[in-house]
């Protein structure tokens, strides 16, 4: 197997890992029962498998929709997560109300962007590595379910170790996830635009110029440290 195939497979695994972390930690921090967590995990695994079979026949439509609306959907999802996280923390700190299970719906509910990223990756990668989209979707569903189950158990371990209330853990995690998805929605389209631009040749200066720049920078840093030690009131 060549390096390109390994990179494509690593790409799918990274998408599944992000998806699994998001759902597994949310269920664990919300304090969901093992039975409910198992049902949700099985639903996501089967959902990936079923959508892979359906999307294989509509590859162009699925990819076009994802490319057009992924940023908008991700921003909406990030806003919902941030709002739900702030609401969960405020309700607990001000009124001692445990809304973790209700707020968990915002994290666990099927996310079009997450599903879209996984399905588009499966459709694009399956012909490259020489398997059908249905076969790759089946194994992706199993791996996703394993990731979700692992991070659900990991979240329960964290909750038991640090002994913080579930609303506090879930609220902070939702804020982090919301900011992560908001950053991704803002940065990734710009990265794609830059990658598609034609770059002009880069002129690299000579090695002697680089050495002079490095020596000058080190000299300025040393002078700054020396002056700071002599004049700063914070250093005795």
């Amino acid at each position: 197997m060549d390096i390109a195939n390994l990179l494509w497979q690593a790409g799918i695994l990274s998408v599944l890992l992000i998806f699994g972390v998001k759902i597994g930690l949310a269920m664990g921090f919300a304090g969901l029962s093992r039975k409910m967590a198992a049902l949700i995990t099985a639903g996501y695994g089967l959902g990936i498998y079923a959508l892979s079979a359906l999307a294989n026949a509509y590859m162009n439509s699925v990819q076009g929709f994802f490319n057009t609306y992924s940023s908008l959907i991700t921003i909406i999802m990030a806003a919902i997560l941030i709002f739900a996280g702030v609401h969960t923390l405020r309700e607990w700190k001000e009124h001692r109300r445990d809304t973790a299970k209700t707020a968990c719906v915002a994290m666990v509910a099927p996310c079009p962007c997450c599903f879209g990223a996984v399905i588009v990756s499966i459709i694009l990668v399956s012909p490259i590595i020489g398997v059908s989209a249905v076969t790759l979707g089946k194994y992706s569903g199993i791996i996703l379910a394993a990731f979700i189950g692992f991070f659900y158990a990991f979240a329960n371990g964290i909750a038991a170790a640090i002994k913080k209330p579930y609303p506090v853990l879930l609220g902070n995690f939702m804020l982090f996830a919301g900011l992560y998805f908001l950053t991704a929605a803002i940065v990734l389209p710009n990265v794609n635009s830059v990658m598609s631009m034609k770059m002009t040749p880069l002129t690299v200066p000579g090695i002697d110029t680089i050495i002079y720049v490095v020596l000058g920078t080190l000299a300025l840093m040393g002078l700054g440290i020396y002056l700071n030690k002599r004049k700063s009131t914070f250093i005795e």
Side-chain angles (χ1 to χ4, degrees):
M1 185 178 292
D2 58 21
I3 189 65
N5 288 349
L6 291 175
L7 290 175
W8 278 111
Q9 293 178 31
I12 290 185
L13 287 175
S14 64
V15 173
L16 294 173
L17 178 61
I18 294 173
F19 203 1
V21 169
K22 171 179 174 287
I23 299 169
L25 291 182
M27 292 192 305
F29 288 153
L32 296 186
S33 65
R34 292 182 180 179
K35 181 178 180 181
M36 180 61 66
L39 290 174
I40 293 174
T41 301
Y44 270 102
L46 293 174
I48 291 294
Y49 175 65
L51 288 176
S52 299
L54 292 175
N56 191 34
Y58 305 97
M59 180 178 65
N60 293 330
S61 299
V62 172
Q63 187 175 358
F65 176 84
F66 180 73
N67 291 335
T68 303
Y69 298 105
S70 60
S71 295
L72 177 61
I73 296 174
T74 304
I75 290 174
I76 294 174
M77 181 180 67
I80 293 173
L81 292 178
I82 293 173
F83 172 79
V86 171
H87 176 74
T88 301
L89 291 172
R90 186 181 60 187
E91 288 295 309
W92 175 257
K93 291 183 178 180
E94 293 182 1
H95 309 291
R96 285 295 187 253
R97 293 174 184 168
D98 186 354
T99 60
K101 289 183 173 62
T102 303
C104 179
V105 175
M107 293 287 287
V108 177
C111 168
C113 285
C114 295
F115 269 120
V118 174
I119 299 305
V120 170
S121 299
I122 290 172
I123 293 174
L124 293 177
V125 173
S126 57
I128 296 176
I129 63 177
V131 298
S132 66
V134 177
T135 301
L136 188 57
K138 177 178 67 176
Y139 288 109
S140 297
I142 295 172
I143 295 172
L144 176 61
F147 279 148
I148 294 174
F150 172 79
F151 284 104
Y152 168 75
F154 181 69
N156 284 330
I158 294 176
I162 64 178
K163 298 179 181 179
K164 291 288 185 181
Y166 283 122
V168 175
L169 294 173
L170 181 64
N172 284 288
F173 177 61
M174 293 180 76
L175 288 176
F176 172 79
L179 293 174
Y180 170 81
F181 284 111
L182 183 62
T183 303
I186 295 173
V187 172
L188 290 181
N190 295 324
V191 171
N192 292 332
S193 299
V194 171
M195 293 294 291
S196 63
M197 292 174 59
K198 185 177 180 180
M199 300 296 181
T200 58
L202 179 65
T203 302
V204 180
I207 186 64
D208 53 343
T209 304
I210 297 177
I211 292 175
Y212 292 145
V213 170
V214 172
L215 292 177
T217 302
L218 292 176
L220 289 174
M221 291 175 61
L223 179 62
I225 293 172
Y226 172 75
L227 294 176
N228 185 64
K229 286 184 177 180
R230 290 193 60 184
K231 296 181 180 181
S232 177
T233 57
F234 296 102
I235 301 177
E236 300 179 355

